[in-house]
Amino acid sequence: MSSSSSSRAGVMVMLAASLAGLAVAFYAYITPLTGVTGTLGAMAVIVTCLVLAGLSLVLPAMHGKVGRIVLRLIILAVIVGTAFAASLLHLWWLVAAMAIALVGLMIAMIRSAPAAQPTRS
């Protein structure tokens, strides 16, 4: 598998996890008796899942090392923040979705790293 397609696989995992998280958060927001129906916290995780989906679509289009690093750090902060908020809301499926998104970010980071050049001594 090439570096580009492996990196794309990581991005697709992040995108799928963020959309799954969006579905879980939206369900919790609109369904009565979930404990978070209509709350600001549930709306916040809906928004952060949408932001994460957008950022995962932007990541492959980024050019330049610094821009990619900054975007990956922002994505990491969104994933960790969403997982923390989901744990406070007791939305354990959303926490699991963010764990999967974190795995996708790791795949994208590891697979997009350039191969080490052999050095001459």
Side-chain angles (χ1 to χ4, degrees):
M1 188 181 300
S2 72
S3 175
S4 172
S5 63
S6 297
S7 177
R8 191 172 301 127
V11 168
M12 293 307 292
V13 169
M14 275 193 306
L15 182 61
S18 65
L19 294 177
L22 176 65
V24 169
F26 187 70
Y27 174 81
Y29 184 77
I30 64 168
T31 304
L33 301 175
T34 59
V36 294
T37 305
T39 63
L40 184 60
M43 180 58 75
V45 293
I46 289 171
V47 170
T48 58
C49 285
L50 285 171
V51 168
L52 181 59
L55 291 174
S56 22
L57 291 174
V58 170
L59 184 60
M62 286 295 292
H63 298 290
K65 187 175 183 178
V66 174
R68 289 181 70 83
I69 290 171
V70 169
L71 187 58
R72 287 174 182 157
L73 288 173
I74 292 170
I75 289 172
L76 177 64
V78 170
I79 290 171
V80 170
T82 303
F84 180 69
S87 68
L88 292 176
L89 293 168
H90 294 225
L91 296 176
W92 306 117
W93 287 110
L94 182 54
V95 174
M98 291 303 105
I100 293 169
L102 185 60
V103 170
L105 178 62
M106 287 185 217
I107 291 170
M109 288 172 58
I110 291 170
R111 298 294 183 181
S112 69
Q117 298 288 347
T119 57
R120 296 185 127 177
S121 301

